[in-house]
Structures are given as C-alpha cells and as structure tokens.
Amino acid sequence: MEIIILLSILVIKLEVETSVSDDFSLPESEGLAWSLKDGTSDYAILGDAVVTITRPAIGESDVIVCFVASYTLNGITKTKEFNITIKALEE
C-alpha cells in the first residue's frame, strides 16, 4: 500500500510544459518512463526524455500531443497523461 501512495505522489508532482514552440525536455527520474499515447506523432519525436517537435505550418491549427508518464516501483506502475499543445508557426 505504501508503494502505491508513493507512486501516486510522484506522478502528481510531475510538471510539464502545457504549450511549446521549441524542442523540450521531459522530467527524468529513476523508474520514470515516457511514451506517446498514440505510439507515434507527426509533430513530436520522443527520444529518452528529449522531445523534438515539428510545428504545424503557418495557417494550420495548433496540435495537441498526449504524453504518458509511467512510474514503476517494485513491479507496480502508476501512469498519468499530459496533453501538450504544439504551437503552429506564425507569420
């Protein structure tokens, strides 16, 4: 039970950018793994904890990409989803 509480606290304390226009880093910690909810994205490439983005073209809408944080401790995993808006290019 203590492990579940600890994992819940760790996941709750995670903070990420909510809107980006440049490549960015995700938090790193032992037992923490990141993935893209849909597996792949045309707008974000996840490499370890660094995300390389491709912004939508001028005139296109911003896009939202969902990242999943998975904390694992002693074989128990807790996850949390983060929606990050990738801003379209501006004139």
Side-chain angles (χ1 to χ4, degrees):
M1 183 65 139
E2 291 177 9
I3 292 173
I4 293 172
I5 293 170
L6 176 59
L7 284 172
S8 295
I9 291 169
L10 290 171
V11 168
I12 288 170
K13 288 188 173 193
L14 281 175
E15 293 183 7
V16 300
E17 298 288 332
T18 57
S19 180
V20 297
S21 56
D22 291 306
D23 297 347
F24 63 98
S25 296
L26 294 166
E28 294 183 88
S29 181
E30 186 175 338
L32 175 62
W34 289 95
S35 61
L36 292 166
K37 182 176 182 178
D38 295 328
T40 62
S41 168
D42 292 336
Y43 300 96
I45 299 172
L46 178 59
D48 294 325
V50 176
V51 179
T52 304
I53 67 165
T54 300
R55 294 174 67 184
I58 295 171
E60 291 185 10
S61 298
D62 298 343
V63 296
I64 297 173
V65 178
C66 184
F67 292 84
V68 179
S70 301
Y71 252 118
T72 302
L73 184 62
N74 293 343
I76 298 172
T77 301
K78 186 84 171 168
T79 62
K80 181 176 180 181
E81 295 181 0
F82 295 89
N83 288 323
I84 299 177
T85 300
I86 298 177
K87 304 296 282 179
L89 292 169
E90 298 175 352
E91 292 185 44

